Amino acid sequence: MSKALDGVRILDFTHVQSGPTCTQLLAWFGADVIKVERAGAGDITREQLRDIPDVDSLYFTMLNHNKRSVTIDTKNPEGKLVLEALIQKCDVLVENFAPGALDRMGFTWERIQELNPRMIVASVKGFGPGPYEDCKVYENVAQCAGGAASTTGFDDGPPVVSGAQIGDSGTGLHLALGIVTALYQRTLTGRGQKVLAAMQDGVLNLCRVKLRDQQRLERTGTMKEYPQYPNGTFGEAVPRAGNASGGGQPGWILKCKGWETDPNAYIYFITQAPVWAKICNVIGKEEWATDPNYATPAARLPHLKDIFAEIERWTMTKTKFEAMQILNKYDIPCGPILSMKEIAEEPSLRKTGTIVEVDHPTRGKYLTVGNPIKLSDSPTEVTRSPLLGEHTEEVMTELGYSPEQISALRTAGAI
Ligand code: COA
């Protein structure tokens, strides 16, 4: 079966997490992703957070499936020539080096255009143009600078970063969309273009609702769905809202049976307005369905704390899965707090390919997250990440280099 991006060649100059997330997705959609790495070392994540000595880390293997690896010293003059040949052969160059690194290597946008005017050059940077554009950036810096940390956590505590890698993987996703969009435009214009996804911008895009709230706060001085209402105080900026839902339907995380010993015995419970009467029935507070203090969403807002405390008295008598089963019967929106262990063992995620077991020649079998985006005409088959330089010879041959030339380049340290 064909793949959506069959025939698209990606020169993957990415490392760590943000860029590799992007190129892995493109590989899953069928692009030929050629990862260029530094000889001897490669992507730094190959050796970071290792769980097995001298074996590519899970950090690396889980972000670099379905790719080929070539090692080129792009600061060596002959290595530069090999990179030029690759630029001429590929459709997209993806990179997430520190600002200016590609230029310092001699591969400015102008030079790349000279070599291949159809080339799309896609970059992740920490910041867009502005006061911080020269800064190196990692995940949590982006979460802080993009508005996620200041709006995450509890009112009486410090800002908190999320376990979801919205700065790195989130920006990689944004970049992937930019790339396929540029590829589409190229079919009309014949020209490449630059694609930039700044991590601050990507995080802010995911925090869009918080900028919405900033403006609501400035206009009205309050936000009734926030836990600060009605007794707390609002300052000038959007406060941290704990586990409040952030939407029009109030929600909170509630303890379930076993919470004393199991850190994940909790459920997210949403008091959705249309099922309010059913919620009252389930928790044994039938009178709340008609009591004017509780019957409407507006009347409930000042009592949300008490309401959730009452619902929690009920959820604490059930495991999170029992509560799910009962609540789902009544269409009451809720979700169990699943641990990574529970997710890893969930059979339905294995069935859909969202969690996949992969075999690796030096590591053996390991679990990874497969392609979360399912295309009916372009199924994803997850294959292992490449060993460092595993495909150097193969790719060089495809570029037209003879065995003698390849061995001379090896001797020169260019590849
Ligand atoms: N051959 C020769 N040199 C190579 C090479 C190769 N194949 N591949 C990379 N290099 C060089 C680069 O040219 C650069 O050299 P320079 O500093 O002389 O210009 C050098 O390796 C290091 O690149 P750099 O990107 O600065 O790595 P770093 O480890 O110092 O910084 C980051 C890492 C992530 C902080 C930085 O790359 C960054 O800010 N990237 C953009 C934002 C981003 O993606 N952050 C999230 C990462 S998950």
Side-chain angles (χ1 to χ4, degrees):
M1 199 175 213
S2 69
K3 297 281 165 71
L5 295 181
D6 268 348
V8 174
R9 249 187 307 244
I10 311 277
L11 197 175
D12 180 8
F13 229 160
T14 69
H15 63 155
V16 204
Q17 185 183 166
S18 62
T21 298
C22 165
T23 51
Q24 176 169 260
L25 275 169
L26 301 174
W28 280 338
F29 291 135
D32 177 13
V33 175
I34 303 166
K35 185 167 173 110
V36 175
E37 295 179 85
R38 221 189 310 219
D43 187 328
I44 192 167
T45 60
R46 283 187 186 267
E47 60 183 44
Q48 278 179 337
L49 311 178
R50 269 188 178 152
D51 56 326
I52 307 174
D54 304 323
V55 167
D56 285 338
S57 70
L58 286 165
Y59 195 178
F60 178 84
T61 55
M62 290 178 71
L63 285 161
N64 289 284
H65 294 105
N66 297 60
K67 305 181 185 178
R68 298 197 282 171
S69 165
V70 303
T71 47
I72 305 173
D73 179 355
T74 56
K75 289 187 172 161
N76 173 308
E78 289 180 73
K80 275 190 207 301
L81 293 177
V82 177
L83 196 72
E84 287 185 2
L86 265 174
I87 289 172
Q88 282 163 328
K89 259 273 187 350
C90 289
D91 301 281
V92 188
L93 184 160
V94 193
E95 63 93 22
N96 68 312
F97 290 127
L102 205 57
D103 291 355
R104 286 193 290 279
M105 234 180 247
F107 293 99
T108 59
W109 165 245
E110 291 72 25
R111 176 70 189 129
I112 294 170
Q113 282 274 286
E114 258 171 37
L115 292 164
N116 180 359
R118 288 173 59 80
M119 175 64 92
I120 290 158
V121 178
S123 304
V124 169
K125 293 289 166 261
F127 294 92
Y132 304 124
E133 65 187 305
D134 293 327
C135 297
K136 288 188 172 183
V137 169
Y138 284 107
E139 171 68 47
N140 289 343
V141 175
Q143 288 202 26
C144 294
S150 70
T151 54
T152 304
F154 288 88
D155 201 21
D156 56 357
V160 172
V161 294
S162 153
Q165 304 286 283
I166 56 176
D168 279 340
S169 286
T171 308
L173 275 162
H174 282 88
L175 192 72
L177 177 60
I179 290 170
V180 289
T181 306
L183 277 168
Y184 179 72
Q185 192 174 12
R186 196 183 72 172
T187 63
L188 308 172
T189 64
R191 282 194 313 276
Q193 61 181 302
K194 287 188 273 186
V195 180
L196 170 66
M199 293 168 73
Q200 182 186 38
D201 300 5
V203 171
L204 177 57
N205 185 34
L206 299 175
C207 291
R208 178 172 295 260
V209 297
K210 299 296 179 183
L211 184 56
R212 171 200 71 193
D213 290 350
Q214 180 62 35
Q215 295 170 87
R216 291 172 59 220
L217 180 65
E218 283 168 15
R219 179 149 301 139
T220 66
T222 189
M223 289 183 293
K224 291 182 176 168
E225 80 283 13
Y226 273 62
Q228 287 79 1
Y229 176 85
N231 302 318
T233 49
F234 285 92
E236 288 189 335
V238 174
R240 295 187 263 290
N243 289 315
S245 75
Q249 309 287 351
W252 201 255
I253 288 184
L254 306 177
K255 291 171 184 155
C256 290
K257 198 176 180 176
W259 67 274
E260 298 91 338
T261 50
D262 176 355
N264 296 305
Y266 289 84
I267 193 163
Y268 199 92
F269 194 107
I270 298 175
T271 56
Q272 193 204 20
V275 291
W276 176 244
K278 292 178 188 171
I279 295 171
C280 297
N281 278 339
V282 168
I283 64 167
K285 293 291 277 183
E286 290 82 357
E287 66 276 17
W288 276 1
T290 48
D291 181 336
N293 279 325
Y294 294 90
T296 64
R300 287 196 287 279
L301 284 174
H303 313 294
L304 282 180
K305 240 190 178 147
D306 300 336
I307 290 171
F308 283 122
E310 192 60 42
I311 299 173
E312 191 171 60
R313 269 191 271 283
W314 178 80
T315 55
M316 280 165 71
T317 66
K318 310 274 177 287
T319 69
K320 61 189 174 190
F321 298 113
E322 288 165 353
M324 264 294 276
Q325 234 175 9
I326 297 167
L327 297 169
N328 270 313
K329 269 204 302 228
Y330 300 106
D331 280 339
I332 300 167
C334 59
I337 307 305
L338 294 182
S339 69
M340 264 306 146
K341 184 172 185 329
E342 287 164 335
I343 290 171
E345 291 166 359
E346 170 58 45
S348 66
L349 293 175
R350 300 285 183 103
K351 222 170 168 178
T352 56
T354 297
I355 299 230
V356 188
E357 190 174 73
V358 182
D359 205 359
H360 185 276
T362 53
R363 146 171 304 284
K365 288 191 170 39
Y366 66 95
L367 285 186
T368 195
V369 184
N371 192 346
I373 305 166
K374 322 285 189 208
L375 269 62
S376 62
D377 265 359
S378 181
T380 296
E381 185 198 334
V382 179
T383 60
R384 69 168 175 86
S385 59
L387 301 174
L388 181 60
E390 185 176 345
H391 304 95
T392 304
E393 200 121 339
E394 181 181 295
V395 170
M396 295 293 290
T397 308
E398 285 169 16
L399 289 173
Y401 289 87
S402 68
E404 294 72 31
Q405 287 171 312
I406 295 172
S407 106
L409 284 168
R410 268 197 204 290
T411 313
I415 58 168

